[in-house]
Structure formats: structure tokens, C-alpha cells
Amino acid sequence: MRRILSWLMCALLLLSPFAALAEEKAAENGLEQTAEKNVEKAVEKAAEHPIRLRALLIGCDSFVTQPSTAPAAGSNVTLIAQALLRDTREYRRIVTEKDSLASPEELEDAIRHAYGGADENDINLFYISTHGVYPRGQALKEAALLLSDGEREYALTAVELESMLSNVQGKKILILDACNSGAFIGKGLSLREVENPFAGGDYLVLTSAGGSEESWYWKSRDDGDPNIQY
């Protein structure tokens, strides 16, 4: 009887590693099936709610209170629009404005036109190249980007811009190409309390300068191209 029990114990000991391996394999198969189902669900969701891209590109070169930057801002808008057209994801709408916006009402109309129909799954690009102003010693809320058509001019603050964009659904990517533009997100300022109306998770903001810096593109005359304006 003892011999039979010994044989049974040996058989159980030999079988236990194989049983463990079988359980581990079954668990792996279960994880693989779960992962496949998750991928299928993600694909189905993407098909039902595709990510759509829109862009509003603004360039101001002619001003009332500041020197002209022509043709820099307008050229930036053109080059960025051309780059976006080559994006394989394809932009649903690309709106360009050159020396055509000089009031908050006009900017709001452009925002509605560019991002109309956007939902929470979409990506909305906002680019502006203009003069940025931030009077020394003033509160951060006084920092502004100039909207201008050469005859009219408006100093747009960070709070105003965020208010205009707040109703736009989806991710909002802002590229602020102007002097002192970092002040719009409280960056590049020493001994100042941070003020950033774009701190929400639906905003991504890139500025070309800190809050106390100027933003310049300097091109040497040594290229020998007489058609370049410096």
C-alpha cells in the first residue's frame, strides 16, 4: 500500500509543473485575447469618432503703433499652411488671415469659421505671428498680442483669447510667435506670480519668447540674394 502511495505522490509531483505551465499559458492566451479585443474596440471607436484637424493661421505685418514686419508674418502663415497641407492626417479646414483681423469680434468670427463643428476628439491649431507687447512694470494681464490691419489695431490679452477659445471642443494647440509671448503663460518672467489662463488639460501652448524677451529672426546679408528683405 505504501508503495502505491509513493507512486501516486511521485506522479502528482511530476504533473504539478505541467499543470502550472498549462495555467500560465491559459492566462497568457487570455491576456492576448483581451489585448486584441481592446485594439478592436479602439479601432472601432476611431472609425466612429475620427480625429479631425483644423487650423487658424493669423499674420499681422502692418500696424498703427508699431513698425511693419512685412513680409515676415504673412510669409510665416503661407509656409505653415503649405506644411499643414502635406500632413498625411489631412486637415479638414485651414483658415489663413493676413492683415485682416483688427478687432475681437473679427477674431471671434474667424475662430467660429475655422473650428466650427469640432468635437472633443478633434485637434485645433491656432497660430499667430504679430507684435507682442508687455509694458514693463505692468501686471501680467496687460501683456497683449496686437491684431491689426494697418488702419485699426487691438491689443488682445491672454484672458480674452482663452475666453474666445474656451467654447471650442477638442485639443487646442497654440503657437504664439511674438515678442513677450511667454507672458501669456507666465513663463520667462523673474519674481512674478505665475498667471496662466491656458493651464487646462485641453491646451498646449508654444511661445517664441519669454515674457520679458523679444523675438527676432535675423538673416545675414551675406547670402547674396538681392530679393531678400532684411
Side-chain angles (χ1 to χ4, degrees):
M1 184 68 179
R2 288 180 180 176
R3 185 174 295 178
I4 294 173
L5 288 174
S6 298
W7 280 106
L8 286 173
M9 289 296 294
C10 291
L12 289 172
L13 289 172
L14 288 171
L15 285 173
S16 58
F18 294 102
L21 287 172
E23 290 178 1
E24 185 178 341
K25 190 64 177 178
E28 289 178 356
N29 290 337
L31 289 173
E32 290 176 0
Q33 291 174 0
T34 301
E36 290 176 359
K37 289 180 180 178
N38 290 338
V39 171
E40 290 174 358
K41 289 180 180 179
V43 171
E44 290 174 359
K45 183 178 180 181
E48 294 174 1
H49 304 284
I51 296 175
R52 294 169 295 187
L53 293 84
R54 297 171 175 81
L56 173 58
L57 314 177
I58 302 168
C60 298
D61 277 313
S62 302
F63 301 89
V64 178
T65 63
Q66 299 290 330
S68 170
T69 57
S75 296
N76 289 346
V77 167
T78 298
L79 291 171
I80 292 176
Q82 291 173 348
L84 298 184
L85 287 171
R86 292 193 293 270
D87 193 322
T88 56
R89 297 172 297 174
E90 297 184 2
Y91 274 73
R92 186 179 185 89
R93 188 177 299 128
I94 300 174
V95 176
T96 60
E97 299 282 356
K98 301 179 183 181
D99 284 334
S100 53
L101 304 179
S103 72
E105 294 78 17
E106 291 170 350
L107 177 57
E108 285 182 310
D109 287 342
I111 287 173
R112 281 193 292 268
H113 175 51
Y115 307 131
D119 61 32
E120 62 182 9
N121 203 42
D122 293 347
I123 297 174
N124 307 286
L125 173 64
F126 179 92
Y127 171 84
I128 183 169
S129 179
T130 185
H131 274 298
V133 292
Y134 177 40
R136 289 190 178 184
Q138 298 297 314
L140 278 179
K141 62 183 180 181
E142 300 299 325
L145 300 173
L146 296 184
L147 301 175
S148 182
D149 60 5
E151 297 180 355
R152 299 171 300 138
E153 194 173 271
Y154 184 82
L156 179 74
T157 67
V159 171
E160 288 176 312
L161 179 57
E162 195 284 327
S163 177
M164 294 179 190
L165 294 171
S166 61
N167 292 326
V168 176
Q169 298 296 308
K171 184 70 71 177
K172 286 158 282 197
I173 300 174
L174 280 60
I175 302 177
L176 310 181
D177 188 2
C179 294
N180 310 118
S181 50
F184 267 51
I185 54 174
K187 296 294 185 180
L189 297 159
S190 59
L191 304 178
R192 285 284 185 144
E193 184 178 347
V194 173
E195 297 177 25
N196 182 9
F198 304 101
D202 54 342
Y203 287 102
L204 295 172
V205 185
L206 174 67
T207 69
S208 63
S212 58
E213 294 177 330
E214 294 183 340
S215 178
W216 292 91
Y217 171 62
W218 185 267
K219 188 172 179 62
S220 170
R221 291 180 180 274
D222 295 335
D223 321 20
D225 187 345
N227 297 315
I228 297 292
Q229 296 188 40
Y230 300 92

